[in-house]
Amino acid sequence: MSRCMSRTKGVSSFKGGHQSKAKTYSAKSDQTREREPDKPSSIMEEEIGSGTPKTTIIVGAGSRGHGYPYYAVVFPKQLKVVGVCEPRDHHRQHEVKQHNIPPENVFKDWKEAAEREKFADSVIICTPDRLHKDPAIAFAKKGYHILLEKPMAVTEADCKEIVATVKENNVILAVCHVMRYMSWVKKVKEIIDSGVIGDVVNINHTEPVGFWHFAHSYVRGNWHVEADSSFSLLAKCCHDVDLISYWMRGKPCQRVSSFGNLSHFHKGDKPEGAAYRCLDCPVSIENNCPYSAKKIYLDRVKQGHRGWPTSVLCDIVDIENVTDALRKGPYGKCVYDTDNDVMSHQVVNMQFEGGATATLQMVAFTKKLCAREVKIYGTKGEITVNDGELPPIKVFNFLTHKTDSFDPEDEMAPLPLMGHGGADYQAIKAFVTALHDQDSKVIETGPDDTLASHILCFAAERARKENRVLNRNSQGEFE
């Protein structure tokens, strides 16, 4: 999953919001990702479990697989990491050191762990998109509860198989549609449920990916070729399809169409004289390219930035290693000279049961980075959301002609779990709570909701490729 950061805020009453600063715990980090454990205060002390931690295994220790398990560092009485499966030596050994994992529970291949007798309560699966299904199935059959990075899988059939398997084996499945845990998302749902804007008749939702973020993840990065990962709507916007369904309050989508294109990032738009790699590009051309790898990566390192996106390029982030990565690896290629094939912008049109409509727009070419823009139109009022702005939510009431503003405040969260405005922390906390309570009711996106929104994603992409409207039949399938 590509990574977006957002302003941090959290839960407030419907009667009004207020402005407050983001609340985090700091954690020292150096260029090798080493961190000093956060010290939870009384505010952060959670009453979860009896004091005996539930255990988990990390399956895939990349950015996401490093982040979620950090919960165990801050709350050792709630969660303990007892195993790791990761093919890359540096990432694997980092988790071994951070969680003091015994040698017998350290694996290069997850299959080795799955073949063992069950030795933990759960697994946290953060492998690449196309490698989600097999470990999810294998560990579910062994009785492990599962926290699974989104997307659930990259085909509809695989998603259905995962859901069927977790149900057959009575295990908890939480899929990381973390945006449902964001404070502004929950506040919007609360406002809709209150009835103040009447019945929702239309949602207009924009996901501004960010011009350099798209170049990083979808032109040069792990998600640039559909056959190796997934189509960009699923990889980037299954969050957003899920949110639209969430705000439609359980009404199923009945019809869907979609249009999109891969614009600009192809050989036809490559400036004359530009080199294959940014490091070799003439200064006159590189200086005028907003997608230059030198600007996106080297300039950040020179300014002291050691986190994402530069941390993706190499294990130890410094000028020498980043330069070497740009010289040899995919992130140093000219954006007009890669083999990328995923959509740079796409629109999805949906009609839900009862007639309500929605439009989702994914756009690569934006200043904003994953800060959603939403308009929700109801029969008695409308909601405007500008994530990242203060206040983020405004509600206009047709009866009073007044506009109320809301700025919900987030709970505190450890810095390594501040991704998606602290929603990463809320997602893993809900999963740990479910483990202790043996009850999945606290999980926002379990198997059924996740499957429904994923099926809608697959239908939208199929509608785009087949250039037609798909309709939902009586069995819930789109045809």
Side-chain angles (χ1 to χ4, degrees), residues 21-89:
K21 295 181 180 179
K23 298 180 179 180
T24 69
Y25 282 108
S26 63
K28 293 182 181 179
S29 63
D30 64 21
Q31 55 199 24
T32 62
R33 296 170 74 217
E34 300 295 335
R35 299 185 187 276
E36 181 176 293
D38 292 290
K39 308 297 183 183
S41 70
S42 59
I43 298 176
M44 282 283 288
E45 290 290 354
E46 303 282 352
E47 295 296 331
I48 298 174
S50 61
T52 301
K54 294 296 181 179
T55 53
T56 196
I57 305 166
I58 301 169
V59 181
S63 296
R64 308 297 285 165
H66 169 70
Y68 295 122
Y70 195 80
Y71 190 94
V73 176
V74 187
F75 301 108
K77 293 182 180 180
Q78 298 177 28
L79 185 68
K80 180 177 177 60
V81 177
V82 297
V84 60
C85 310
E86 168 57 51
R88 296 168 296 177
D89 292 343

Side-chain angles (χ1 to χ4, degrees), residues 3-24:
R3 188 171 164 189
C4 290
M5 305 302 291
S6 174
R7 178 187 70 87
T8 303
K9 313 278 327 154
V11 180
S12 70
S13 69
F14 177 68
K15 294 181 180 178
H18 63 279
Q19 296 184 10
S20 68
K21 295 181 180 179
K23 298 180 179 180
T24 69

Side-chain angles (χ1 to χ4, degrees), residues 207-211 213-214 218 236 362-364 366 368-370:
E207 154 64 311
V209 182
F211 70 98
H213 174 27
F214 191 88
Y218 302 95
K236 190 72 193 77
M362 177 193 74
V363 187
T366 64
K368 286 187 174 182
L369 181 70
C370 305

Side-chain angles (χ1 to χ4, degrees), residues 105-286:
N105 292 346
V106 179
F107 311 93
K108 289 186 177 181
D109 190 330
W110 64 264
K111 295 184 180 71
E112 300 174 49
E115 289 169 357
R116 285 255 309 267
E117 289 296 319
K118 184 183 176 189
F119 63 97
D121 298 303
S122 67
V123 290
I124 297 174
I125 300 176
C126 295
T127 49
D129 293 358
R130 286 191 172 269
L131 302 180
H132 284 184
K133 179 229 175 179
D134 288 345
I137 295 293
F139 283 108
K141 288 181 177 179
K142 284 285 183 114
Y144 288 90
H145 301 297
I146 300 171
L147 181 71
L148 179 61
E149 183 53 89
K150 67 88 180 166
M152 185 190 298
V154 297
T155 70
E156 183 173 334
D158 286 353
C159 290
K160 289 179 176 178
E161 186 177 351
I162 290 173
V163 170
T165 304
V166 298
K167 289 183 176 182
E168 288 168 6
N169 291 275
N170 196 31
V171 299
I172 294 169
L173 172 66
V175 179
C176 297
H177 276 264
V178 296
M179 288 193 68
R180 281 211 191 186
Y181 296 92
M182 295 181 78
S183 59
W184 70 262
V185 170
K186 292 189 288 186
K187 173 56 70 175
V188 167
K189 181 67 161 57
E190 181 184 338
I191 293 168
I192 291 170
D193 289 347
S194 76
V196 70
I197 67 164
D199 296 327
V200 172
V201 297
N202 178 263
I203 297 176
N204 192 331
H205 184 110
T206 299
E207 154 64 311
V209 182
F211 70 98
W212 67 261
H213 174 27
F214 191 88
H216 167 74
S217 294
Y218 302 95
V219 179
R220 297 178 170 119
N222 292 338
W223 296 271
H224 76 291
V225 174
E226 180 178 344
D228 294 337
S229 55
S230 59
F231 52 95
S232 55
L233 184 71
L234 181 68
K236 190 72 193 77
C237 288
C238 63
H239 277 312
D240 304 281
V241 173
D242 176 69
L243 290 188
I244 291 171
S245 299
Y246 181 54
W247 291 325
M248 284 294 183
R249 305 177 70 187
K251 296 178 180 178
C253 180
Q254 302 285 27
R255 308 176 74 209
V256 61
S257 66
S258 182
F259 308 93
N261 193 47
L262 169 54
S263 298
H264 192 56
F265 297 115
H266 52 71
K267 292 182 185 296
D269 277 2
K270 183 175 181 177
E272 185 177 354
Y276 178 68
R277 290 191 176 274
C278 296
L279 292 179
D280 301 322
C281 207
V283 173
S284 60
I285 296 176
E286 191 275 330

